[in-house]
């Protein structure tokens, strides 16, 4: 009975509305922000087993994050995919996301592959391309199996030019094709004559001019450009306006010093200047070269890959090298171009989530408020996204810093254990492709990975180290 004669001291766990109601009544109450893991009883059991592991996970994660943040991604040159990309073959097409077979591919990926075969001269039209694919002569493989990345469909064929990025700290190289711009482009599944014509111009004019310009200029420190761009309002995933401008400042004088005609030089500079997303195909391999440095660290729960192929969403983990954990690609909530709606959209697609994995992209949205005009949401939501990501990462970046947050480092080192434990999924901003092949981009927006891939990864981690 003494309980009712004393002032109550209340601890509220779970629904905050109970706390708010008690507070209004003048009660002495504190709120604990807690909720059960999203994976239910299975996640609880896995977390319980995880707590019994006899390895220094904190030390392993510290090493993984240190290697990511100490990496020095640098643009060192360009080459043709079949000549420079490890394991590339004449009959191979690389794509975004985890492994997938033709019969399970989404419309945009199929459209991009058909376009790639036409570009290579292996097929005259869609009918011939599909016949060639069904013959079994064409081999498909994820970019991530070849130390590279590709935006959206991510299709790369043997003859395509690629950037070569070297992580100077660890001697690791990564690769990516050049960015075509927005709208009807190959990476969104478009494959008409205008798309192929642009790709040929990129191979025959843009590539040789840039390749020579990079030789003249010398190596370009991409880490510095990303750090500057993040402080100028980019997050270097869906907003690359500042980064592209900085790149032009670096490369334009060297372009003018090349031996190409004034017409060709002018066309190259104008093309890059008109494409605010040009730097995306540099920021992505920059992040890839950094996360590659963390792969294979025993006992680390840090994510080294997040990737989507339009059908599946897959992740890889530092302490479980070579293994994919896959779930369904999710719908994207966003803003659509005139004439298109959510009904036209394909699920999430592309390797560009390597930017979030590397510590920027959607994780740095607090520094890129203008991005909400492209992907939807509000400025406050962009800020809240970054703040929430600190809860599921292991560090604050020592180079990429956000002025609005008093130059706090971006959330870096996504942790599968923290995702499962806290029930917070990483936030991703992305372009939206039409679900049918050949149409292209229809908008941009925000999405999340499926929770099951983090639960499955953590379960596999426990089995590996228990």
């Amino acid at each position: 009975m003494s309980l009712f004669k004393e002032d109550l001291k209340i601890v509220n766990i779970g629904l905050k509305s109970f706390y708010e109601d008690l507070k209004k009544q003048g009660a002495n109450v504190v709120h604990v922000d807690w909720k059960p893991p999203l994976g239910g009883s299975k996640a609880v059991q896995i977390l319980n087993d995880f707590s019994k592991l006899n390895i220094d996970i904190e030390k392993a994660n510290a090493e993984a994050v240190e290697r990511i943040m100490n990496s020095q991604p640098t643009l060192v040159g360009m080459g043709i995919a079949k000549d420079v990309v490890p394991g590339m073959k004449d009959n191979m097409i690389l794509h975004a996301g985890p492994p997938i077979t033709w019969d399970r591919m989404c419309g945009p990926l199929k459209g991009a592959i058909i376009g790639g075969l036409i570009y290579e001269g292996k097929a005259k039209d869609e009918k011939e391309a599909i016949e060639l694919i069904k013959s079994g002569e064409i081999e498909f493989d994820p970019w991530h199996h070849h130390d590279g990345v590709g935006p959206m469909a991510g299709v790369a064929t043997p003859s395509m030019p690629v950037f070569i990025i070297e992580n100077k700290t660890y001697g690791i190289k990564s690769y990516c094709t050049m960015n075509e711009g927005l709208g009807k482009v190959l990476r969104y599944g478009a494959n008409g004559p205008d798309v192929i014509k642009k790709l040929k111009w990129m191979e025959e004019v843009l590539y040789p001019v840039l390749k020579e310009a990079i030789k003249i200029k010398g190596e370009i420190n991409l880490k510095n450009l990303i750090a500057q761009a993040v402080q100028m309002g980019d997050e270097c995933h869906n907003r690359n306006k500042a980064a592209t401008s900085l790149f032009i400042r670096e490369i334009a004088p060297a372009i003018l010093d090349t031996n190409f005609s004034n017409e060709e030089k002018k066309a190259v500079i104008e093309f890059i200047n008109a494409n605010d997303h040009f730097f995306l195909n540099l920021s992505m391999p920059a992040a890839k070269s950094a996360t590659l440095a963390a792969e294979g660290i025993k006992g680390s729960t840090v994510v080294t890959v997040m990737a989507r192929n339009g059908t599946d969403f897959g992740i890889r983990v530092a302490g479980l090298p070579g293994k994919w954990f896959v779930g369904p690609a999710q719908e994207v909530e966003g803003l659509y171009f005139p004439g298109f709606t959510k009904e036209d959209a394909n699920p999430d697609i592309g390797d560009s989530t390597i930017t979030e994995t590397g510590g920027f992209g959607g994780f740095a949205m607090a520094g890129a408020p203008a991005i909400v005009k492209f992907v939807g949401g509000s400025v406050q939501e962009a800020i809240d996204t970054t703040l929430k990501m600190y809860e599921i990462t292991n560090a604050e970046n020592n180079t990429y810093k956000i002025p609005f947050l008093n130059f706090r480092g971006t959330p870096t080192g996504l942790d599968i254990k923290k995702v499962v434990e806290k029930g917070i999924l990483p936030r991703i901003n992305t372009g939206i492709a039409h679900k049918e092949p050949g149409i292209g981009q229809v908008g941009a927006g925000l999405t999340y990975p499926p929770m099951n891939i983090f639960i499955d990864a953590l379960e596999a981690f426990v089995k590996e180290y228990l």
Side-chain angles (χ1 to χ4, degrees), residues 19 41 96 103 117 119 151 159 189 198 207 212 223 237 263 271 280 285 308 311 327 356 379 416 426 445:
Y19 160 79
S41 59
D103 59 298
L117 291 172
Y119 164 80
S159 300
K198 180 190 283 189
Y207 162 60
E212 185 176 327
K223 187 174 188 177
H237 181 167
E263 182 182 345
F271 177 81
L280 173 64
R308 315 89 89 206
T311 302
E356 285 83 6
V379 172
I416 57 170

Side-chain angles (χ1 to χ4, degrees), residues 65 67-74 149 165 167 174 221-241 243-244 277-292 303-304 306 308 351-368 371 382 385-387 389-390 392-393 395-403 405 408-414 426-430 446-447:
V65 171
R67 288 177 71 87
I68 290 171
M69 295 198 301
N70 287 349
S71 291
Q72 180 61 69
T74 303
V149 280
I165 280 70
N167 181 336
S174 61
N221 186 326
L222 296 180
K223 187 174 188 177
N224 282 352
L225 294 189
I226 294 169
Q228 291 178 64
V230 167
Q231 294 190 22
M232 295 169 67
D234 281 359
E235 38 72 83
C236 293
H237 181 167
N238 262 300
R239 183 177 169 84
N240 289 277
K241 186 181 286 286
T244 299
H277 275 64
F278 190 83
F279 192 82
L280 173 64
N281 289 47
L282 290 166
S283 68
M284 286 174 57
K288 177 61 178 175
S289 74
T291 60
L292 275 169
V303 174
T304 56
M306 288 197 292
R308 315 89 89 206
D351 284 336
S352 53
T353 38
I354 196 68
T355 58
E356 285 83 6
T357 317
F360 47 100
F363 287 15
M365 282 180 66
I371 198 173
T385 291
T386 297
L387 295 176
M389 295 303 97
Y390 287 113
I392 55 174
T393 50
E396 297 181 13
N397 203 281
N398 57 2
T399 303
Y400 308 140
K401 297 180 181 291
I402 301 174
L405 299 181
R408 190 175 180 184
T410 59
T412 303
L414 179 63
R427 190 67 154 153
I428 297 160
N429 57 51
T430 184
L446 299 163
T447 190

Side-chain angles (χ1 to χ4, degrees), residues 6 45 70 83 130 147 152 169 191 206 216 250 359 398 407:
E6 299 175 1
Q45 182 60 55
N70 287 349
D83 298 329
I130 292 174
D147 297 343
M152 303 307 290
T169 310
N191 54 26
L206 180 61
I216 293 170
E250 291 281 334
N398 57 2
F407 291 93

Side-chain angles (χ1 to χ4, degrees), residues 195-225:
V195 174
I196 306 304
K197 182 180 178 181
K198 180 190 283 189
L199 290 172
K200 285 295 181 183
W201 176 84
M202 292 172 70
E203 178 188 345
E204 296 166 2
V205 179
L206 180 61
Y207 162 60
V209 172
L210 278 180
K211 182 177 182 178
E212 185 176 327
I214 293 167
K215 285 183 180 178
I216 293 170
K217 163 66 182 174
E219 298 175 350
I220 298 175
N221 186 326
L222 296 180
K223 187 174 188 177
N224 282 352
L225 294 189

